[in-house]
């Protein structure tokens, strides 16, 4: 048993949707969360640049004595998981395998859609996760540039975002998928709009809960869980503006966003 924190990171605030699931499932686990809001967004950036950022953040969290790393950003997980695992001798998990697993367990037809940032979809990481699962599923993937920006602007339900969703999701809807993976931290906030565009028969899957279950299993397997009587204190680091992080963080996560520190690269 150990009171060392779980390290969680994202390009910004979106990873707090994953952290919400983690805190709900493991309320006495302390977490140190790094949001790279100063270099946000990762989605449109080249993979080697995102890899470099992810390795830097991994080092910061390892210096904070993280006992396990959660890459809560799909764009980072799609390019950096192997390198992070090679660099650190603690368990490292991303959101892509858990998301794929949840979708495979949900889908009846085996026709699954995946949406994500340009970087995530271009990396082919979801297709690799599906291939590695050993199941016979067919993926239809679509990048959704613009979705993240709408969420960041606090707009999840306007006519404009509906029109964009109709256009970007048409290929996935036309492929007849019965399950859609929300392969980006921000997309759960657009679930209603995405659900409207996809139709009622399509089940939306986010990786947050499944990732939290995987963390719990890894902690148990490695005897890394916090003592049951401990009360968790969370720490937040941001490479951007502290006040903005605190304000928007409360929207993504809730009142747990209290102690926020600025990180200078
Ligand atoms: N966190 C990113 C992801 O899940 C979305 C935001 C960004 O583009 O950095 O892909």
């Amino acid at each position: 048993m150990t009171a060392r924190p779980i390290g969680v990171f994202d390009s910004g605030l979106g990873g707090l949707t994953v952290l919400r699931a983690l805190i709900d499932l493991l309320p006495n686990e302390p977490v140190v969360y790094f949001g790279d809001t100063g270099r946000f967004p990762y989605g449109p950036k080249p993979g080697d640049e995102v890899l470099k950022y992810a390795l830097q953040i991994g080092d910061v969290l390892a210096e904070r004595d993280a006992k396990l790393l959660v890459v809560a950003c799909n764009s980072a997980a799609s390019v950096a998981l192997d390198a992070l695992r090679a660099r650190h001798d603690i368990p490292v998990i991303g959101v892509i395998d858990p998301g794929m697993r949840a979708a495979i367990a949900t889908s009846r037809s085996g026709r699954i859609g995946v949406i994500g940032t340009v970087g995530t979809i271009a990396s082919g990481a979801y297709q690799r996760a599906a291939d590695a699962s050993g199941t016979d599923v067919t993926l239809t993937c679509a990048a959704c540039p613009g979705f993240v920006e709408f969420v960041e602007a606090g707009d999840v339900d306007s006519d404009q975002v509906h029109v964009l969703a109709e256009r970007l999701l048409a290929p996935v809807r036309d492929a007849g998928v019965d399950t859609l993976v929300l392969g980006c931290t921000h997309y759960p906030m657009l679930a209603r709009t995405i659900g409207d565009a996809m139709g009622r028969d399509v089940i939306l899957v986010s990786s947050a809960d499944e990732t939290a279950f995987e963390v719990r299993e890894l902690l148990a397997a490695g005897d890394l869980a916090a003592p049951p009587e401990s009360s968790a204190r969370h720490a937040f680091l941001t490479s951007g503006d502290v006040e903005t992080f605190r304000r928007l963080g409360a929207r993504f996560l809730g009142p747990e966003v209290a102690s926020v520190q600025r990180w200078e690269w």
Side-chain angles (χ1 to χ4, degrees):
M1 299 247 167
T2 167
R4 289 164 64 197
I6 297 171
V8 180
F9 76 87
D10 178 46
S11 56
L13 292 144
L16 295 174
T17 57
V18 178
L19 184 54
R20 180 71 268 155
L22 205 57
I23 291 176
D24 289 345
L25 187 70
L26 302 166
N28 53 348
E29 289 292 343
V31 171
V32 52
Y33 179 95
F34 193 110
D36 202 6
T37 39
R39 302 191 294 198
F40 176 91
Y42 284 3
K45 294 194 167 75
D48 52 355
E49 191 175 343
V50 174
L51 171 63
K52 189 176 97 186
Y53 295 167
L55 293 178
Q56 287 175 338
I57 299 169
D59 288 353
V60 172
L61 295 173
E63 276 163 27
R64 299 248 161 172
D65 205 20
K67 59 185 173 186
L68 182 147
L69 275 187
V70 180
V71 185
C73 174
N74 288 260
S75 305
S78 66
V79 294
L81 271 196
D82 290 346
L84 284 164
R85 285 181 177 139
R87 196 173 174 96
H88 300 285
D89 58 2
I90 53 176
V92 179
I93 72 163
V95 280
I96 290 176
D97 286 331
M100 203 63 243
R101 226 180 12 248
I104 290 169
T106 303
S107 176
R108 288 166 169 250
S109 68
R111 283 197 300 277
I112 295 173
V114 179
I115 53 174
T117 64
V118 169
T120 297
I121 298 304
S123 76
Y126 274 97
Q127 187 61 57
R128 284 194 294 281
D131 294 345
S133 74
T135 54
D136 187 18
V137 293
T138 305
L139 294 197
T140 304
C141 300
C144 294
F147 276 9
V148 165
E149 288 76 3
F150 272 110
V151 173
E152 290 285 314
D155 177 359
V156 293
D157 204 21
S158 66
D159 287 350
Q160 288 92 324
V161 72
H162 271 94
V163 168
L164 183 66
E166 286 289 338
R167 181 165 65 76
L168 293 174
L169 297 173
V172 193
R173 192 183 47 220
D174 295 349
V177 303
D178 70 352
T179 304
L180 180 68
V181 180
L182 306 180
C184 173
T185 49
H186 285 57
Y187 297 177
M189 313 282 268
L190 287 173
R192 183 170 300 191
T193 298
I194 292 170
D196 283 349
M198 292 301 295
R200 294 179 116 188
D201 296 340
V202 177
I203 299 170
L204 307 185
V205 169
S206 98
S207 48
D209 288 335
E210 192 68 20
T211 302
F213 287 128
E214 187 169 339
V215 170
R216 183 171 67 177
E217 275 166 30
L218 286 169
L219 293 179
D223 200 16
L224 289 167
E229 69 283 1
S230 63
S231 68
R233 278 222 196 102
H234 309 304
F236 297 87
L237 300 170
T238 173
S239 57
D241 182 62
V242 168
E243 264 324 300
T244 309
F245 188 97
R246 201 176 276 130
R247 187 168 41 80
L248 294 177
R251 201 170 80 204
F252 277 86
L253 181 69
E256 288 89 348
V257 182
S259 150
V260 184
Q261 282 175 2
R262 163 107 182 140
W263 180 266
E264 299 287 347
W265 288 117

